[in-house]
Amino acid sequence: MAFDAVVVGAGFAGMYMLHCLREHGFSARVYEAGGDVGGTWYWNRYPGARCDIESMQYSYSFSEELDQEWEWHEKYAPQPEILDYANHVADRFDLRRDIRFDTRVTSAAFDEVAKHWVIETDRGDAVTARFCIMAVGCLSSANLPPFEGLDDFEGPIYHTGQWPHEGVDFSGLRVGVIGTGSSAIQSIPIIAEQAAQLVVFQRTPNYSVPAWNAKLDPAYVRSIKADYPAFRAKARARPTGFYFPFNTDPALAATPAERQRQYEEFWARGGLPFLGAYGDLLFEMAANDTIAEFARQKIRAIVKDPATAELLCPDNVFGGKRLCVDSGYFETFNQSHVKLVDVSEKPIERFTRDGVVTDGIEYPFDAVVCATGFAAMTGSFDKIRITGRDGLTLAEKWRAGPRTYLGLSTVGFPNLFMITGPGSPSVLASMIQAIEQHVDWMIDCLCHLRDVGAATIEPTLKYEDDWVDHVNEVAAVSLRSQADSWYVGANIPGRPRVFMPYIGGFPIYVQKCNEAMSNGFEGFVMDRTGEANTPPKMRRTERWRAELDLDVISPAIVAARRVPVV
Ligand code: N01
């Protein structure tokens, strides 16, 4: 079968892409490895999973009717509610008829003569498409470290990112949790409520801010729904693509007493907006030290056993790794049946038939939870054999780190697009906003190719190289590039150390995408047979002309602004 486009993945990216392709008259087929829509929210069903972006902002913005009809119930939506929302969208826009579920794309190869992609799946499909659109997600390739003896363990081993759909009852069981990232920090308090004994294996402690989750106030919901587009525009103008009050003053200009008051106030607001307490926190180490020490004081105040409290105190950059947001995480360690085991010096040696061994001690378990994260940003690309011009595979091209132009596409792979690809704001922005902006840009690009009779589009090497340099230059300005996080691939041994998302801020990035388009797809080459010379039309991209919010200008944005297009 031949399609205009094949989309890989039916999470929020693939769903919106399918909807837009249809609206603009393109035939499309979506392949999804899972049994239904939802992507991240389909797979990550571990206890306590919920979003750390407020629910009124974590949703599609393309349909005012959808915005009005959907009701969120909590400040931070739990996973089942977000999955309900994904299902609602699939039903409302009749998406499922073009999605093949339980089907994993195994290879995509560009045929240089026919100028189309040949896509194969694990169910034996072999279809062709002019455009191959990767909607594979940034955190969707689960990382199960190759612990020795995994197969010897007689109990179940769960990964938070591949949680059983029927749920897991840990009542009365001896449970081990490996990892202390966001997934662990959300699930540990709930697992502790059920388990008879819980042992948490910690390699690196993490900072976490309370969510203070609560039922949504109907008056607040009404006030946003009264003018949702204005609220969305305000969010899009922010470097993160979501709105929260942000103080641009430097922490170092305040007195210790003023800082304490300010941190208390922002702590009381909770969640990721805690980082908005001062403008220099992610750029000046001395400023970062002040917020890090405040967070450590909070841990020491919560955790009663001083030795456990010290083990839980991170000494790295605050917010250098993705900040965690919790509901009672540190308090959990005050329970007598919960134990923290440090594996920073003495790693987990092996699994045995009965449990896990570290530092020569065997911890017996009935079940083990690996909250060990993901091969971020590129892991899901690695799972598909993607072959471009001259037989080059994407894995070979990206061996030393991903290289893209604007995080949208990569040289040597014509008509291959990546939604929230490496080199775009992606995980540093509110994901659904980042997804919509990418899809809208890509659809305008596809319409333009049709308008001018072009068969293919791909970036030029110069623009790609300049963009990669720019992504690195801007990353170097932020303390985030110094932390050993999944942003830089440091969570998995052997991955190249490259800061993968674009940290210059969402509005700046959007401006760069818009400029590239309005300058006739500057930085791209098209293979054209037609003579038509129509200028690009910003059919969908028009709504992304948000102005930069100058109130929240940061050093990364200043660095990003020095470069006009690339
Ligand atoms: O994964 P992680 P995650 N031995 O990589 C440890 C998003 N998310 O699934 O820090 C022992 O953060 C590892 O240790 P270390 C969010 O963007 C969002 O928790 O590498 N330990 C770490 O403690 C988040 O950042 C939400 O030293 C090992 C943990 O496993 C991202 O997803 C909720 C190990 C992995 O932490 C990933 O979060 C959940 C080993 N061999 C996730 N290997 C919300 O919206 C790894 N670890 C709230």
Side-chain angles (χ1 to χ4, degrees), residues 440-487:
D440 286 346
W441 191 98
M442 288 169 192
I443 291 288
D444 281 351
C445 177
L446 265 53
C447 289
H448 182 69
L449 297 182
R450 185 167 59 190
D451 290 346
V452 301
T456 65
I457 185 166
E458 72 181 286
T460 68
L461 192 56
K462 173 177 170 19
Y463 275 71
E464 179 170 294
D465 286 349
D466 286 353
W467 181 253
V468 172
D469 289 350
H470 175 60
V471 170
N472 289 329
E473 180 202 10
V474 178
V477 174
S478 168
L479 296 174
R480 276 194 167 132
S481 60
Q482 297 180 17
D484 289 336
S485 66
W486 56 258
Y487 293 137

XYZ file of all heavy atoms in Angstrom, residues 440-487:
388
model
N 2.404 21.493 13.338
C 1.895 22.587 12.500
C 2.951 23.007 11.475
O 2.648 23.237 10.307
C 1.479 23.777 13.376
C 0.172 23.504 14.116
O -0.531 22.534 13.763
O -0.159 24.264 15.049
N 4.203 23.094 11.918
C 5.290 23.482 10.997
C 5.430 22.427 9.897
O 5.560 22.752 8.720
C 6.594 23.629 11.788
C 7.714 24.277 11.027
C 8.083 25.586 11.087
C 8.600 23.649 10.082
N 9.146 25.821 10.241
C 9.482 24.645 9.616
C 8.731 22.363 9.591
C 10.494 24.382 8.686
C 9.731 22.097 8.653
C 10.594 23.096 8.210
N 5.405 21.163 10.296
C 5.597 20.078 9.312
C 4.453 20.049 8.295
O 4.680 19.840 7.096
C 5.681 18.725 10.025
C 6.987 18.546 10.788
S 6.918 17.087 11.866
C 8.378 17.375 12.859
N 3.238 20.251 8.766
C 2.098 20.235 7.846
C 2.230 21.383 6.842
O 2.022 21.198 5.634
C 0.769 20.330 8.632
C 0.541 19.050 9.426
C -0.403 20.620 7.698
C 0.168 17.819 8.618
N 2.613 22.562 7.315
C 2.819 23.680 6.386
C 3.927 23.350 5.384
O 3.854 23.719 4.215
C 3.172 24.963 7.152
C 1.931 25.614 7.757
O 0.808 25.165 7.441
O 2.086 26.569 8.543
N 4.933 22.648 5.859
C 6.035 22.244 4.975
C 5.525 21.263 3.909
O 5.795 21.425 2.714
C 7.148 21.623 5.817
S 8.512 21.002 4.847
N 4.754 20.279 4.332
C 4.222 19.289 3.381
C 3.297 19.960 2.356
O 3.339 19.641 1.162
C 3.435 18.199 4.134
C 4.193 16.931 4.505
C 5.465 17.192 5.266
C 3.297 15.986 5.305
N 2.484 20.894 2.835
C 1.578 21.616 1.910
C 2.402 22.423 0.907
O 2.055 22.493 -0.278
C 0.649 22.543 2.686
S -0.602 21.666 3.620
N 3.494 23.001 1.392
C 4.342 23.789 0.487
C 4.965 22.901 -0.588
O 4.995 23.268 -1.766
C 5.424 24.508 1.284
C 6.309 25.375 0.435
N 5.859 26.527 -0.165
C 7.608 25.220 0.035
C 6.840 27.065 -0.874
N 7.914 26.299 -0.772
N 5.438 21.742 -0.177
C 6.028 20.825 -1.164
C 4.985 20.489 -2.231
O 5.289 20.449 -3.431
C 6.509 19.540 -0.489
C 7.616 19.672 0.554
C 8.026 18.311 1.095
C 8.845 20.376 -0.010
N 3.759 20.285 -1.783
C 2.680 19.983 -2.737
C 2.422 21.204 -3.628
O 2.285 21.076 -4.845
C 1.416 19.609 -1.954
C 0.259 19.158 -2.809
C -0.829 18.511 -1.968
N -1.360 19.423 -0.952
C -2.172 19.045 0.037
N -2.560 17.786 0.143
N -2.611 19.913 0.915
N 2.411 22.398 -3.029
C 2.151 23.626 -3.791
C 3.179 23.831 -4.901
O 2.841 24.290 -5.989
C 2.202 24.862 -2.870
C 1.024 24.922 -1.914
O 0.047 24.172 -2.123
O 1.097 25.726 -0.947
N 4.437 23.539 -4.597
C 5.503 23.854 -5.564
C 5.943 22.624 -6.357
O 6.884 22.698 -7.155
C 6.735 24.503 -4.876
C 6.337 25.777 -4.164
C 7.426 23.541 -3.926
N 5.292 21.503 -6.119
C 5.627 20.298 -6.876
C 7.000 19.744 -6.539
O 7.727 19.267 -7.418
N 7.369 19.805 -5.264
C 8.664 19.251 -4.845
C 8.472 17.832 -4.315
O 7.508 17.552 -3.604
C 9.286 20.129 -3.761
N 9.401 16.961 -4.664
C 9.292 15.561 -4.232
C 9.879 15.370 -2.844
O 9.362 14.576 -2.052
C 10.000 14.648 -5.225
N 10.973 16.066 -2.572
C 11.635 15.850 -1.275
C 12.152 17.158 -0.680
O 12.336 18.149 -1.402
C 12.852 14.896 -1.400
O 13.846 15.523 -2.209
C 12.463 13.548 -1.972
N 12.397 17.095 0.602
C 13.041 18.212 1.311
C 13.995 17.611 2.336
O 13.699 16.566 2.929
C 12.009 19.137 1.987
C 12.685 20.361 2.603
C 11.189 18.400 3.038
C 11.705 21.479 2.977
N 15.143 18.230 2.505
C 16.063 17.850 3.591
C 16.968 19.036 3.889
O 17.122 19.932 3.058
C 16.886 16.604 3.237
C 17.963 16.820 2.208
C 18.722 15.536 1.881
O 19.533 15.107 2.712
O 18.497 14.991 0.780
N 17.544 19.084 5.079
C 18.392 20.228 5.412
C 19.731 20.180 4.672
O 20.125 19.129 4.170
C 18.632 20.076 6.915
C 17.965 18.840 7.346
C 17.455 18.106 6.166
N 20.415 21.321 4.669
C 21.777 21.338 4.119
C 22.752 21.082 5.275
O 22.447 21.374 6.437
C 22.130 22.701 3.496
O 22.206 23.667 4.548
C 21.091 23.124 2.459
N 23.916 20.581 4.923
C 24.895 20.233 5.952
C 25.336 21.474 6.732
O 25.502 21.428 7.949
C 26.102 19.545 5.304
C 27.056 18.872 6.276
C 26.348 17.856 7.160
C 28.200 18.194 5.511
N 25.498 22.586 6.010
C 25.964 23.792 6.710
C 24.961 24.217 7.783
O 25.332 24.522 8.913
C 26.177 24.936 5.706
C 26.490 26.217 6.435
C 26.795 27.395 5.583
C 26.856 28.711 6.375
N 27.048 28.652 7.798
N 23.694 24.241 7.425
C 22.692 24.677 8.401
C 22.578 23.682 9.554
O 22.372 24.067 10.705
C 21.334 24.910 7.721
C 21.231 26.303 7.132
C 21.962 26.667 6.004
C 20.432 27.266 7.725
C 21.887 27.944 5.480
C 20.351 28.560 7.213
C 21.084 28.895 6.082
O 21.014 30.162 5.579
N 22.686 22.397 9.229
C 22.630 21.403 10.306
C 23.822 21.574 11.259
O 23.659 21.591 12.480
C 22.617 19.992 9.717
C 22.589 18.910 10.786
C 22.334 17.523 10.200
O 21.233 17.292 9.683
O 23.268 16.686 10.234
N 25.023 21.723 10.673
C 26.216 21.886 11.521
C 26.097 23.146 12.383
O 26.428 23.126 13.573
C 27.480 21.987 10.649
C 27.873 20.640 10.062
O 27.294 19.611 10.505
O 28.731 20.612 9.154
N 25.615 24.235 11.759
C 25.477 25.484 12.520
C 24.458 25.327 13.641
O 24.635 25.862 14.736
C 25.037 26.637 11.597
C 26.178 27.106 10.704
O 27.317 26.638 10.907
O 25.930 27.925 9.792
N 23.383 24.588 13.349
C 22.343 24.411 14.379
C 22.884 23.581 15.549
O 22.682 23.934 16.719
C 21.089 23.765 13.785
C 20.014 23.610 14.826
C 19.594 22.469 15.423
C 19.267 24.672 15.436
N 18.622 22.743 16.362
C 18.399 24.092 16.394
C 19.246 26.066 15.267
C 17.527 24.848 17.177
C 18.372 26.815 16.056
C 17.528 26.199 16.986
N 23.610 22.520 15.227
C 24.184 21.680 16.290
C 25.141 22.525 17.142
O 25.106 22.471 18.384
C 24.897 20.438 15.701
C 25.656 19.673 16.784
C 23.870 19.522 15.035
N 25.959 23.355 16.489
C 26.879 24.235 17.238
C 26.082 25.171 18.139
O 26.451 25.413 19.292
C 27.732 25.081 16.279
C 28.773 24.235 15.561
O 28.946 23.059 15.961
O 29.373 24.737 14.591
N 25.003 25.701 17.573
C 24.185 26.645 18.338
C 23.530 25.961 19.547
O 23.526 26.508 20.656
C 23.120 27.242 17.409
C 22.146 28.138 18.105
N 22.533 29.278 18.778
C 20.807 28.053 18.262
C 21.459 29.852 19.309
N 20.408 29.128 19.009
N 22.997 24.773 19.348
C 22.371 24.016 20.451
C 23.409 23.816 21.565
O 23.116 24.008 22.756
C 21.821 22.661 19.948
C 21.392 21.765 21.111
C 20.649 22.878 18.994
N 24.629 23.466 21.178
C 25.690 23.247 22.173
C 26.112 24.539 22.860
O 26.350 24.567 24.068
C 26.916 22.598 21.513
C 26.633 21.157 21.129
O 25.842 20.489 21.791
N 27.240 20.690 20.055
N 26.194 25.605 22.061
C 26.629 26.895 22.610
C 25.635 27.375 23.676
O 26.021 27.813 24.763
C 26.705 27.928 21.476
C 27.143 29.304 21.938
C 26.725 30.414 20.974
O 25.941 30.152 20.046
O 27.177 31.537 21.166
N 24.352 27.250 23.370
C 23.340 27.711 24.307
C 23.324 26.806 25.540
O 23.188 27.285 26.672
C 21.954 27.762 23.619
C 20.884 28.192 24.596
C 21.990 28.723 22.444
N 23.499 25.510 25.336
C 23.499 24.573 26.474
C 24.626 24.909 27.440
O 24.456 24.833 28.664
C 23.634 23.136 25.974
N 25.780 25.312 26.875
C 26.946 25.575 27.723
C 26.696 26.729 28.685
O 27.323 26.818 29.741
C 28.164 25.867 26.843
N 25.751 27.614 28.319
C 25.436 28.758 29.175
C 24.705 28.305 30.441
O 24.791 28.942 31.484
C 24.547 29.757 28.382
C 24.080 30.898 29.270
C 25.293 30.290 27.169
N 24.014 27.180 30.350
C 23.187 26.726 31.471
C 23.938 25.708 32.324
O 24.634 24.832 31.806
C 21.907 26.090 30.924
O 21.232 25.417 31.961
N 23.731 25.787 33.640
C 24.330 24.803 34.546
C 23.797 23.402 34.268
O 24.401 22.413 34.666
C 24.016 25.179 35.997
C 24.603 26.504 36.501
C 24.081 26.810 37.907
C 26.125 26.455 36.512
N 22.644 23.338 33.579
C 22.052 22.026 33.295
C 23.003 21.138 32.498
O 22.963 19.918 32.622
C 20.763 22.189 32.499
C 19.586 22.458 33.373
C 18.313 22.263 32.604
N 17.200 22.219 33.538
C 16.074 22.909 33.399
N 15.903 23.685 32.356
N 15.116 22.803 34.276
N 23.835 21.753 31.670
C 24.714 20.935 30.826
C 25.802 20.258 31.663
O 26.469 19.343 31.207
C 25.333 21.779 29.715
O 26.082 22.821 30.280
N 25.982 20.715 32.920
C 27.045 20.130 33.755
C 26.592 18.877 34.507
O 27.406 18.121 35.014
C 27.530 21.167 34.770
C 28.158 22.379 34.115
C 28.625 23.392 35.150
O 28.777 23.074 36.326
N 28.846 24.619 34.707
N 25.277 18.705 34.639
C 24.779 17.587 35.454
C 24.829 16.288 34.661
O 24.681 16.287 33.429
C 23.348 17.888 35.894
N 25.028 15.186 35.384
C 25.050 13.858 34.737
C 23.623 13.327 34.616
O 23.200 12.454 35.370
C 25.896 12.886 35.576
C 27.372 13.222 35.500
O 27.787 13.861 34.505
O 28.100 12.871 36.434
N 22.892 13.855 33.657
C 21.471 13.541 33.542
C 21.191 12.796 32.243
O 22.073 12.635 31.403
C 20.679 14.850 33.505
O 21.006 15.540 32.302
N 19.930 12.398 32.088
C 19.555 11.809 30.806
C 19.518 12.847 29.693
O 19.547 12.497 28.519
C 18.242 11.018 30.899
C 17.042 11.750 31.421
C 16.505 11.674 32.661
C 16.194 12.654 30.692
N 15.395 12.474 32.772
C 15.182 13.084 31.574
C 16.197 13.150 29.383
C 14.178 13.985 31.190
C 15.208 14.039 29.001
C 14.219 14.444 29.899
N 19.465 14.157 30.056
C 19.545 15.206 29.011
C 20.837 15.050 28.208
O 20.891 15.397 27.039
C 19.586 16.609 29.632
C 18.351 17.082 30.358
C 18.477 17.753 31.585
C 17.083 16.929 29.828
C 17.361 18.229 32.260
C 15.961 17.404 30.504
C 16.110 18.042 31.720
O 15.010 18.517 32.391
